[in-house]
Amino acid sequence: MAFGLRWWGLRQSIWGDEGFTWLVTGEPTFGGMLNAVRGPYEVTPPFYFILAWLFRRLGDDPLWIRAPSIIAGTALVPFAFLLGRRVVGWRVGLFAGALVALSPFATHYSVEARGYSMLALILAASTLVLLKATSRDSSRLWWLAFALLTTAAMYTHYTSIFVIGAQFLWIVLFHRKSLGWLIAAGVAAGTLFAPWFPELVNDTRSVGSVIIAFLFPMTLGSYAQGLITWIDGLPGVGLGVVPGFVALVILALVGTGILSVFLVRAARSPRLPRPELALLALTAAAAPLGTLGVSLVGRDIFLPRNLMSSLPAVLVLIAWATLRLPRRAASVGACALALAFAIGSIAALQPATARPDFRSAAALLDRQAGPNDVIVDYFSVLGAKQVMYTQYQSDADHVFVYSRSSFLGLRSTEVIETKGRDEISTVRPEQASIEPIASIERIARREALRRGGTDIFAVFLDWPPFGGPIRIPGYVLRSTQVFPGSIPVKVVHFVRAPRP
């Protein structure tokens, strides 16, 4: 079931930050790929890119750069089961695995060509290994495994530090006799990560926080919305759509019931949680509290996807809390939660909630655009130009005009002449005006007229930051095609206006 839900989204168009992954993994050499990760537009450590680069040696289909994610996202289901069984019991493990399998959030990032599902899998594994390492008569090799998994997590995403910190805090609070081994593992992981530390410093100065602040400004409301999205939602889609009103009501009722029962029990017999449950609680809270704290005192890093490192622990914790209710209430609550997650997954499979459909837009251009026609790409945000280019199949000569987004303070336009899909022959920077859209329109018209008055196709997201009225002097609108998705993609066809 988990793989089936993830396979459904695997053939969607690549979108957003996946364009950077496509760009980085397109480097022919391993060293070139690492240099691209160190470049100005990528602010993530290299582990996922290494795996995606290796898979891309098998072919240029975008599916290959998503392969590590779908493998990790599917494997996360049995690891959630193992974590739940190890901490509480097999019933909790089964329910936690079911929640991970049905989670629309986990499913989405299981087909995202980025390191989020890989990060969740590595940290779930490291938590299991830590529990094994601190058990009686365990082999010292478990500490070696913990050090290697910690290193892998740090090389996958910087937000791993929140869960790693929670794991270290747990040792200090509950297993001080293992503190020496923990320090040794931490020193080993830090030594292995040290070669990347200068790049970490550079990445902290990137424009990433500017983008996050634009897309998801930190407020009390956005924080609450982000937490619900993390549990049973879909990034970029309103909670009223995924999971929807019915699922939200179910989540609220079950959550209220769990909270009420636990408050009553705590008042009657207050006691500290078992160490294993405390580890779950600490790692579940690590990413939400860590990203909130950094965003309040420094750079804005709060996005639902940056909570992925804590997702396995929080779903195991939810499964445990539900099954701790009185027997009949536990059965009803478990069925209700499974229903709420299933409703969210079904809603997330609809065309209107899918990633922007650049694949269909590119197929339309394959059919309609002739040789030397000008294709204006409005939606590009830095590396996102790779998104449209990778979907395009035609061997005809075309001129792509790409705009770099003005909200990042970048006011440049690129004109790229293509000769076949795999070759970019020239790139000529152009100085844009204060009105980026007007600048693209001017350049598109100039390039079309230079080629004898060819047609112009404008491709853009039907979304306020990128969309807007298009007017090209000397041209008239011939047709408009809209492809549905979480953000619709619009293709507008212009032809030369007849002379009076």
Side-chain angles (χ1 to χ4, degrees):
M1 179 182 66
F3 183 77
L5 288 172
R6 285 148 178 80
W7 182 262
W8 185 272
L10 194 60
R11 301 305 302 179
Q12 293 179 9
S13 304
I14 63 173
W15 157 241
D17 287 352
E18 291 183 297
F20 293 111
T21 306
W22 180 266
L23 180 66
V24 167
T25 58
E27 293 291 334
T29 65
F30 185 82
M33 178 271 297
L34 287 181
N35 287 334
V37 176
R38 293 188 182 99
Y41 299 143
E42 187 51 68
V43 292
T44 306
F47 185 58
Y48 185 87
F49 299 104
I50 292 172
L51 297 176
W53 182 85
L54 291 172
F55 269 99
R56 191 169 171 186
R57 300 314 100 193
L58 300 175
D60 267 344
D61 192 309
L63 179 148
W64 292 115
I65 64 171
R66 286 173 166 169
S69 271
I70 194 168
I71 293 170
T74 305
L76 188 59
V77 175
F79 269 85
F81 164 75
L82 292 173
L83 186 58
R85 188 184 66 173
R86 177 67 178 79
V87 173
V88 185
W90 67 268
R91 292 175 66 245
V92 169
L94 283 177
F95 189 32
L99 292 181
V100 172
L102 290 171
S103 165
F105 190 81
T107 299
H108 178 86
Y109 284 109
S110 295
V111 292
E112 179 99 348
R114 304 291 290 183
Y116 301 107
S117 62
M118 184 67 64
L119 177 66
L121 177 65
I122 292 171
L123 289 172
S126 74
T127 302
L128 274 169
V129 167
L130 183 61
L131 287 168
K132 187 66 176 177
T134 54
S135 62
R136 292 182 179 180
D137 302 322
S138 65
S139 169
R140 296 174 183 178
L141 291 177
W142 289 110
W143 286 107
L144 175 61
F146 178 71
L148 293 176
L149 287 168
T150 299
T151 304
M154 292 191 296
Y155 271 110
T156 302
H157 204 278
Y158 297 131
T159 56
S160 63
I161 194 62
F162 301 125
V163 171
I164 294 169
Q167 293 171 334
F168 278 50
L169 177 60
W170 179 74
I171 291 290
V172 172
L173 294 176
F174 293 94
H175 279 276
R176 291 186 182 178
K177 65 180 181 180
S178 301
L179 193 57
W181 288 109
L182 175 73
I183 293 172
V187 170
T191 301
L192 291 172
F193 187 73
W196 194 258
F197 189 79
E199 187 58 33
L200 182 154
V201 175
N202 290 334
D203 288 343
T204 59
R205 302 168 182 154
S206 73
V207 298
S209 61
V210 178
I211 300 174
I212 291 174
F214 174 82
L215 295 175
F216 213 87
M218 171 59 75
T219 64
L220 182 60
S222 66
Y223 185 71
Q225 178 185 347
L227 292 180
I228 299 172
T229 299
W230 171 52
I231 299 299
D232 191 23
L234 195 66
V237 177
L239 294 175
V241 178
V242 179
F245 177 75
V246 173
L248 288 174
V249 171
I250 294 173
L251 291 174
L253 291 175
V254 174
T256 302
I258 290 173
L259 182 61
S260 301
V261 169
F262 273 78
L263 288 176
V264 170
R265 287 177 176 173
R268 288 177 178 175
S269 56
R271 58 183 177 179
L272 292 174
R274 291 190 294 111
E276 295 83 357
L277 284 172
L279 177 59
L280 275 184
L282 287 171
T283 52
L289 295 181
T291 54
L292 174 64
V294 173
S295 298
L296 291 177
V297 302
R299 287 179 169 268
D300 195 345
I301 64 168
F302 179 77
L303 277 176
R305 68 189 186 194
N306 285 342
L307 309 181
M308 192 70 180
S309 56
S310 287
L311 185 65
V314 79
L315 292 182
V316 173
L317 204 61
I318 289 172
W320 167 78
T322 304
L323 296 180
R324 280 278 294 170
L325 295 171
R327 178 170 297 182
R328 183 172 296 180
S331 299
V332 173
C335 292
L337 276 183
L339 177 62
F341 275 61
I343 291 172
S345 290
I346 292 171
L349 295 177
Q350 304 309 307
T353 60
R355 290 171 174 84
D357 191 5
F358 299 115
R359 185 184 298 271
S360 296
L364 178 70
L365 294 174
D366 280 333
R367 295 192 302 270
Q368 294 188 2
N372 289 320
D373 283 350
V374 172
I375 300 171
V376 184
D377 173 3
Y378 270 76
F379 62 82
S380 291
V381 181
L382 305 177
K385 68 184 182 185
Q386 300 297 320
V387 175
M388 191 66 193
Y389 196 60
T390 56
Q391 310 295 326
Y392 193 64
Q393 301 294 319
S394 175
D395 289 330
D397 293 352
H398 292 282
V399 179
F400 284 76
V401 182
Y402 289 101
S403 168
R404 291 186 169 181
S405 177
S406 62
F407 75 81
L408 298 180
L410 302 174
R411 303 189 183 282
S412 64
T413 303
E414 292 177 341
V415 179
I416 301 179
E417 297 181 12
T418 68
K419 295 184 180 300
R421 184 179 175 221
D422 298 323
E423 178 185 347
I424 297 179
S425 57
T426 61
V427 177
R428 298 195 309 277
E430 294 283 350
Q431 183 62 42
S433 68
I434 298 300
E435 297 292 337
I437 288 180
S439 176
I440 302 170
E441 292 168 347
R442 175 176 53 81
I443 295 170
R445 180 173 181 272
R446 185 197 67 195
E447 295 297 324
L449 293 176
R450 191 163 68 88
R451 287 161 177 77
T454 56
D455 292 1
I456 296 175
F457 293 83
V459 185
F460 63 98
L461 295 174
D462 198 7
W463 189 45
F466 299 102
I470 307 173
R471 300 179 182 87
I472 301 179
Y475 281 77
V476 295
L477 177 66
R478 180 172 182 177
S479 64
T480 299
Q481 181 79 39
V482 180
F483 299 97
S486 56
I487 305 175
V489 179
K490 184 177 288 188
V491 179
V492 182
H493 183 187
F494 292 92
V495 296
R496 284 291 303 274
R499 293 184 178 181

